Amino acid sequence: MLIMGWDGTEVTPQIRNLIENHHLGSIILTAKNLKSAEQTASLVQELQTIAHQAGHPQPLLIALDQENGGVNSLFDEDYICQFPSAMGVAATGSTELAYSVAKATATEVSAVGVNLILGPVLDVLTNARHQPLGVRATGDDPQEASQFCIAAINGFKDAGVATCGKHFPSYGNIDFLGSSLDMPIITQTLEELSLSALVPFRNAISAGRLDAMFVGGVGIQSAGMNVMHACLSDQVVDDLLRNELGFKGVAISECLEMQSLIQEYGVKGGTVMAVEAGNDLVLLCRAHDVQLEAISGLKLGVENGIISKERIHTSLKRVLKMKSACTSWQKALNPPGLSLLSKIHPSHLALSRKAYDQSITVVRDKDNLLPLSQSLLQEEELLLLTPLVKPLPASAATKSILEKGTKGHPSLHERWIHQERGAIMSGEGVFRELGRSIARIRNGKLLHTSYTANGLRPVHENLINRASAIIIVTADANRNMYQTGFTKHVAMMCHMLRGTGQKKSLIVVAVSSPYDFAMDKSIGTYVCTFDFTETAMASLVRALYGEITPQGSMPGTMRKSKKVSKTRQQWLVENYDRERDGVALEELLRTLARSSTPSLPYLTTTAQSFELFNPHVEEAHFVVRNSSTKTLYGFVATYFTKGVGAIGALFVDPTKRNVSIGRSLHRRAMRALLQKQGPKTLQLGLTFPGVFPGVPVDESGSNKSWFDNVGWDTQFPKRLTNMIIDDLGAWTAPEGLLQSIQRASISFDLIHGLDNAESVLNHVATHAGPEVVELYRFALQETNTSGVVRAKNSVDNLLGTVIICTAASRLSTYIPALHSIHGEDIGGIIAPIVPSTAQSRLILQGLAFMGVRQNKAHKSAKSVLSWVLDEAYEPLTAMGFEVQQTFDEITNSPENWSDLN
């Protein structure tokens, strides 16, 4: 139940003792343990061998911070690749790239024996300009953060490592209120957190692939909660994380070696409180005496009856389940090491360069100063002004300084930036290679000096007078205010000199937080790199000199606001062509799956899911595509049958949203439906095919509001809910259900084929839409794999119907909820049609019961019920069904759309 670390690059007697004699099963490695990839692989292998020989039932959990950008614990320029920070990746706008970067990172650390990545960062920068997390977070938009974080989680998991989201409940808007205990505080209410900060946490948990959650050490002071340390509070861990958000994985506490915690509770008391709160692993970073004290506290907690054995067993089960998913003795004792790393290094280097090149963002270039090769003559002077900053942990500069034995002492803010792993001063050495790279392009003609909190000095003024162009680098200027003052002073000086006819071009480059001068229009040319690793600086030079065209954009709300001016752009919409577009549509669906929660059906949808080839249904589908690359940017599917026109699906590549592709597709789809003969109803969502039975219901309501904005009246939707029994083998019928059905004289039979189906089809046509009739017709024709259960009363009148199908049914092509991800058989209970009567609740339960019984008889592992209307899901929850997905079917009159004719 403890996760511990130590200082040093070799196994010490103390860490050996913890593994052998105290059964320590989880280790955290930091930059202080790691010199190179080869040494790391050897170190981890030795740790695992000690555990194996000590009789541990499962390998050690080996955890590592490897967030990329400025937060990497493992650096080896020969074997481990540098990738952009979370915000840098978000600046590319590509969740596909986020997935690839995460998978590459996890593959590399897995090769040296790491099996748990402490990431991704799920925090939302709700106060973006002044937060120490900075570029470690994706940005300030909760939905965008969710998309990129889920893509990263999928990348980590597909590389075989466990994932740990952080920092719950949020480090995205913390205040340092000057407490003597140096404890950052969240002052937002739970309601405010729920609307923003908690959204990515909720979505990542819903996605189902998050193994662990790192619970922070922040305080919470708000009307609904007053907590000194989040990780020690059952209100945060058990109530909020587990009960409200539904997290079932491993909860890991913040390090209990914090001075504030030691002073308040002591390590023994803190350890017991952390376990009581609901944490499964309690983190103690490096001090051996403190670690032994925590072990003693845990034992005392059990002896005193504060911690029950059941509580310990619950945590152990969670940890062992995570271990079994990410490691084995065969894997742990034989890490592939350099043999694998040397093979994948070239492709990962190419991915690194691509990611950095695509992340470089030109926020403004008012006077067209870029590229410098066109705006600055070779004989003109260029001045580079750089601040004194600490080198990033994952850098050659840090490695060099560490080898010389230089040490530093971090401030409180710096500890929150990255847990003491970067507090080393080297001054202008950080940007020396940037200067050299620019000088090489200019044949040595570059002026380069640093600036400090001492402000503009005579040396700076002399160099500015000499130069025709000035590049100023800033790094978190909002928290290093001297940089803001210096930059504005230089900008004013350049403006005055330009007034005298001198050429004084000014370019400001923010190499950490993009918010330094994002809103300051007086800085005419403003470029962002999102970190100042050597790789990022190399991409910056390529962007400054026109080798690449910068494609990045400000992440989050600033990206959206920048695109507002483009929202009426008209895109060329073409008819979908199966032969031309089928493969591209499959690729678009895969991209959407990687950046969406499983509550959206992309993972189990194929290009075939949208094409019915039904003589009773007219279908027309449209795409926005890049005719040169054959890539699809968006897709819309439309259907028309017996006066009902429906949009059955509409989706856009996540990297191409907010530029009016969806609007263009929607307009084309509506025009196609309105041109049909005699449309009586227009609707969003369709049950056959049932990819989207309606608009997916999301917490924020953003899906529905988008359709509001394009003209739909969404006030009175019909709610459709998909439900599931996850473990059909363990399911039993509710007590008394059969007796109630018998007392009500309700009987059931199962029919196949169309010969005896007239009464069924008439029943469905009376009580549901024409597309549901076609769904029933399709199911009845599949005589070997599906059929219809009828509910009848004592005089043989039809009371209700439902489709039952096996895993082999072709219905799974058109209803993604029936399609298995992991290969298990899923039985279907589809479209129950039960008119509203006094008995309708019991009839529905009876039909569902018959469906479950049929699914069990066909050896299905799960039962999916797709769908029930409005509140009808409630009696089914009493039968053991759980809500899987929820949609709102929206219908409007064609008269609402007369302006499109």
Side-chain angles (χ1 to χ4, degrees):
M1 293 189 67
L2 302 171
I3 177 168
M4 296 178 173
W6 81 103
D7 286 345
T9 56
E10 297 177 352
V11 173
T12 60
Q14 290 85 357
I15 198 70
R16 180 184 287 272
N17 170 54
L18 289 169
I19 296 169
E20 290 180 339
N21 300 320
H22 295 284
H23 309 291
L24 177 65
S26 303
I27 302 284
I28 182 169
L29 298 176
T30 72
K32 293 185 177 182
N33 303 118
L34 312 176
K35 292 193 295 188
S36 67
E38 186 174 21
Q39 173 265 343
T40 303
S42 175
L43 177 66
V44 173
Q45 191 173 32
E46 185 179 357
L47 290 168
Q48 296 287 17
T49 302
I50 292 168
H52 191 247
Q53 291 173 351
H56 285 224
Q58 285 191 328
L60 298 172
L61 206 59
I62 305 292
L64 187 74
D65 267 318
Q66 197 79 356
E67 294 176 18
N68 289 317
V71 183
N72 281 349
S73 296
L74 176 58
F75 174 71
D76 185 330
E77 52 197 327
D78 295 324
Y79 293 104
I80 303 296
C81 278
Q82 176 67 49
F83 293 104
S85 63
M87 193 178 289
V89 172
T92 70
S94 171
T95 52
E96 187 78 11
L97 194 58
Y99 169 85
S100 300
V101 165
K103 188 175 181 181
T105 301
T107 302
E108 290 180 352
V109 299
S110 176
V112 298
V114 172
N115 48 41
L116 170 62
I117 281 191
L118 297 176
V121 170
L122 297 171
D123 305 282
V124 178
L125 294 178
T126 47
N127 183 6
R129 287 160 185 77
H130 302 285
Q131 290 305 306
L133 269 183
V135 295
R136 294 175 63 193
T138 298
D140 62 354
D141 180 71
Q143 296 301 335
E144 184 171 280
S146 299
Q147 290 175 0
F148 279 91
C149 290
I150 289 168
I153 290 168
N154 288 335
F156 292 152
K157 292 292 289 180
D158 288 352
V161 302
T163 61
C164 177
K166 58 188 184 185
H167 309 80
F168 190 81
S170 177
Y171 282 2
N173 186 13
I174 50 179
D175 287 316
F176 293 85
L177 300 178
S179 160
S180 60
L181 297 178
D182 288 344
M183 175 55 59
I185 301 293
I186 296 172
T187 56
Q188 290 173 292
T189 65
L190 285 177
E191 289 76 15
E192 289 169 334
L193 287 171
S194 184
L195 290 171
S196 180
L198 294 180
V199 170
F201 291 95
R202 187 185 296 114
N203 288 339
I205 290 166
S206 298
R209 301 192 81 186
L210 191 63
D211 300 287
M213 188 73 79
F214 184 90
V215 185
V218 292
I220 303 175
Q221 291 182 3
S222 67
M225 191 179 287
N226 192 357
V227 168
M228 181 61 79
H229 301 272
C231 61
L232 304 187
S233 168
D234 60 353
Q235 285 181 276
V236 175
V237 185
D238 269 347
D239 294 349
L240 184 57
L241 178 60
R242 294 207 186 280
N243 296 336
E244 287 194 35
L245 299 191
F247 183 62
K248 296 176 182 175
V250 174
I252 303 175
S253 81
E254 172 65 277
C255 180
L256 298 196
E257 294 179 27
M258 295 184 302
Q259 273 305 112
S260 58
L261 188 143
I262 290 172
Q263 289 181 33
E264 186 78 13
Y265 305 111
V267 172
K268 286 184 181 179
T271 303
V272 172
M273 289 178 70
V275 174
E276 269 196 294
N279 291 289
D280 305 298
L281 288 174
V282 180
L283 175 60
L284 295 125
C285 298
R286 56 176 65 91
H288 187 59
D289 57 336
V290 174
Q291 292 168 343
L292 293 176
E293 194 179 341
I295 292 169
S296 173
L298 200 55
K299 289 177 180 175
L300 278 173
V302 175
E303 290 169 11
N304 290 339
I306 301 171
I307 302 172
S308 68
K309 288 184 179 178
E310 289 76 18
R311 172 70 194 83
I312 291 174
H313 289 154
T314 298
S315 285
L316 289 177
K317 280 181 194 171
R318 289 182 185 133
V319 174
L320 292 173
K321 181 182 177 184
M322 180 165 74
K323 283 188 176 184
S324 65
C326 69
T327 189
S328 66
W329 281 121
Q330 171 63 27
K331 187 177 176 182
L333 295 173
N334 303 282
L338 301 190
S339 62
L340 174 61
L341 290 172
S342 58
K343 286 179 189 171
I344 61 179
H345 196 59
S347 63
H348 284 194
L349 275 177
L351 177 64
S352 168
R353 177 166 174 156
K354 174 184 176 183
Y356 270 108
D357 283 354
Q358 291 186 14
S359 73
I360 303 297
T361 299
V362 176
V363 179
R364 287 183 300 278
D365 185 19
K366 199 161 58 178
D367 297 320
N368 298 316
L369 302 182
L370 299 177
L372 282 170
S373 53
Q374 294 181 14
S375 67
L376 187 67
L377 299 174
Q378 194 68 22
E379 62 270 17
E380 291 177 316
E381 298 261 32
L382 173 63
L383 170 61
L384 175 64
L385 295 167
T386 56
L388 292 183
V389 297
K390 297 178 299 296
L392 298 170
S395 67
T398 296
K399 190 174 181 181
S400 169
I401 293 162
L402 285 172
E403 286 168 355
K404 293 173 186 172
T406 306
K407 295 183 179 178
H409 302 281
S411 69
L412 171 63
H413 251 295
E414 286 158 354
R415 289 204 297 274
W416 284 89
I417 291 168
H418 184 46
Q419 301 292 321
E420 299 186 3
R421 290 172 216 152
I424 305 159
M425 291 296 289
S426 78
E428 56 206 13
V430 171
F431 297 108
R432 190 170 293 135
E433 185 54 38
L434 170 63
R436 288 172 179 163
S437 298
I438 295 173
R440 278 193 291 271
I441 292 174
R442 294 184 52 77
N443 299 322
K445 204 172 183 64
L446 175 74
L447 308 169
H448 181 193
T449 191
S450 58
Y451 65 95
T452 68
N454 293 326
L456 199 70
R457 313 301 293 169
V459 65
H460 299 128
E461 293 181 3
N462 291 336
L463 291 171
I464 291 167
N465 280 317
R466 281 179 58 184
S468 298
I470 299 99
I471 298 172
I472 302 181
V473 171
T474 65
D476 283 315
N478 282 309
R479 290 189 298 107
N480 298 289
M481 293 304 292
Y482 79 89
Q483 296 181 19
T484 303
F486 181 87
T487 302
K488 287 187 173 181
H489 196 156
V490 173
M492 184 176 66
M493 188 175 169
C494 289
H495 178 73
M496 291 171 63
L497 291 171
R498 279 197 296 271
T500 67
Q502 297 182 52
K503 181 177 180 180
K504 296 294 169 196
S505 303
L506 178 63
I507 298 168
V508 175
V509 179
V511 296
S512 187
S513 168
Y515 301 105
D516 289 358
F517 290 94
M519 306 302 290
D520 190 341
K521 301 292 177 64
S522 69
I523 305 298
T525 300
Y526 183 53
V527 183
C528 300
T529 69
F530 305 96
D531 70 56
F532 47 92
T533 56
E534 290 89 340
T535 324
M537 296 300 94
S539 288
L540 170 64
V541 173
R542 286 195 289 275
L544 291 175
Y545 278 89
E547 287 183 46
I548 59 169
T549 302
Q551 301 172 354
S553 57
M554 287 287 287
T557 54
M558 291 197 69
R559 173 165 29 224
K560 289 181 178 178
S561 65
K562 192 173 181 181
K563 288 178 177 177
V564 166
S565 60
K566 301 180 183 177
T567 56
R568 294 298 178 265
Q569 180 179 343
Q570 289 295 311
W571 291 79
L572 186 64
V573 179
E574 302 178 52
N575 290 318
Y576 171 75
D577 182 308
R578 188 183 317 109
E579 290 187 11
R580 182 194 66 195
D581 301 324
V583 172
L585 179 55
E586 295 280 1
E587 185 57 39
L588 177 56
L589 288 164
R590 283 194 291 271
T591 298
L592 287 159
R594 291 194 186 108
S595 61
S596 305
T597 65
S599 62
L600 295 174
Y602 300 117
L603 195 60
T604 51
T605 302
T606 67
Q608 287 74 41
S609 300
F610 303 101
E611 295 192 279
L612 289 176
F613 303 110
N614 184 315
H616 302 106
V617 179
E618 296 178 61
E619 51 187 315
H621 314 315
F622 305 97
V623 296
V624 169
R625 58 190 288 270
N626 184 319
S627 58
S628 301
T629 64
K630 317 301 182 194
T631 305
L632 289 195
Y633 292 161
F635 173 85
V636 65
T638 70
Y639 307 88
F640 187 81
T641 178
K642 295 191 175 177
V644 176
I647 293 179
L650 194 164
F651 45 83
V652 174
D653 185 325
T655 67
K656 298 293 180 183
R657 288 177 184 163
N658 301 309
V659 292
S660 217
I661 291 173
R663 281 178 175 269
S664 297
L665 285 166
H666 175 264
R667 184 178 179 83
R668 181 68 185 87
M670 295 303 290
R671 288 176 69 87
L673 292 173
L674 289 165
Q675 287 166 3
K676 299 295 182 186
Q677 191 70 36
K680 300 171 185 171
T681 302
L682 298 175
Q683 73 183 42
L684 291 173
L686 201 66
T687 53
F688 186 55
V691 179
F692 289 100
V695 178
V697 175
D698 63 325
E699 292 272 345
S700 65
S702 59
N703 291 328
K704 200 188 285 187
S705 67
W706 188 90
F707 284 102
D708 272 329
N709 291 335
V710 295
W712 286 83
D713 181 353
T714 64
Q715 288 185 80
F716 304 107
K718 184 164 69 176
R719 179 65 54 92
L720 285 80
T721 302
N722 286 350
M723 307 189 78
I724 188 168
I725 295 175
D726 245 326
D727 185 358
L728 203 52
W731 183 86
T732 55
E735 192 175 338
L737 177 61
L738 281 174
Q739 293 87 330
S740 298
I741 291 170
Q742 288 166 357
R743 282 197 298 271
S745 300
I746 301 171
S747 61
F748 301 91
D749 64 0
L750 176 65
I751 66 166
H752 303 275
L754 289 170
D755 292 342
N756 303 311
E758 187 176 353
S759 64
V760 168
L761 294 176
N762 288 338
H763 168 80
V764 175
T766 303
H767 300 289
E771 78 277 11
V772 185
V773 176
E774 296 310 317
L775 173 60
Y776 268 76
R777 197 192 307 276
F778 183 93
L780 286 162
Q781 288 172 323
E782 282 211 312
T783 53
N784 293 325
T785 57
S786 61
V788 172
V789 172
R790 302 184 294 189
K792 296 185 284 186
N793 64 13
S794 57
V795 293
D796 229 26
N797 291 331
L798 198 56
L799 303 175
T801 58
V802 71
I803 297 167
I804 311 295
C805 67
T806 70
S809 170
R810 286 196 302 132
L811 279 171
S812 65
T813 301
Y814 301 109
I815 303 175
L818 302 179
H819 193 86
S820 169
I821 301 170
H822 304 295
E824 72 272 75
D825 283 355
I826 297 178
I829 306 167
I830 312 299
I833 305 298
V834 181
S836 181
T837 66
Q839 287 187 314
S840 55
R841 177 189 177 103
L842 187 59
I843 295 165
L844 178 62
Q845 287 182 314
L847 290 168
F849 172 74
M850 295 299 293
V852 172
R853 198 161 72 173
Q854 285 288 321
N855 290 166
K856 286 191 80 164
H858 287 102
K859 310 296 183 190
S860 296
K862 304 172 188 281
S863 267
V864 165
L865 197 160
S866 177
W867 29 261
V868 287
L869 291 175
D870 298 323
E871 303 305 318
Y873 73 90
E874 291 178 355
L876 298 178
T877 57
M879 295 178 61
F881 283 93
E882 295 179 350
V883 172
Q884 187 185 36
Q885 300 154 315
T886 311
F887 302 89
D888 280 342
E889 183 189 277
I890 293 161
T891 56
N892 279 193
S893 165
E895 283 74 33
N896 291 6
W897 300 93
S898 56
D899 59 325
L900 287 176
N901 287 317

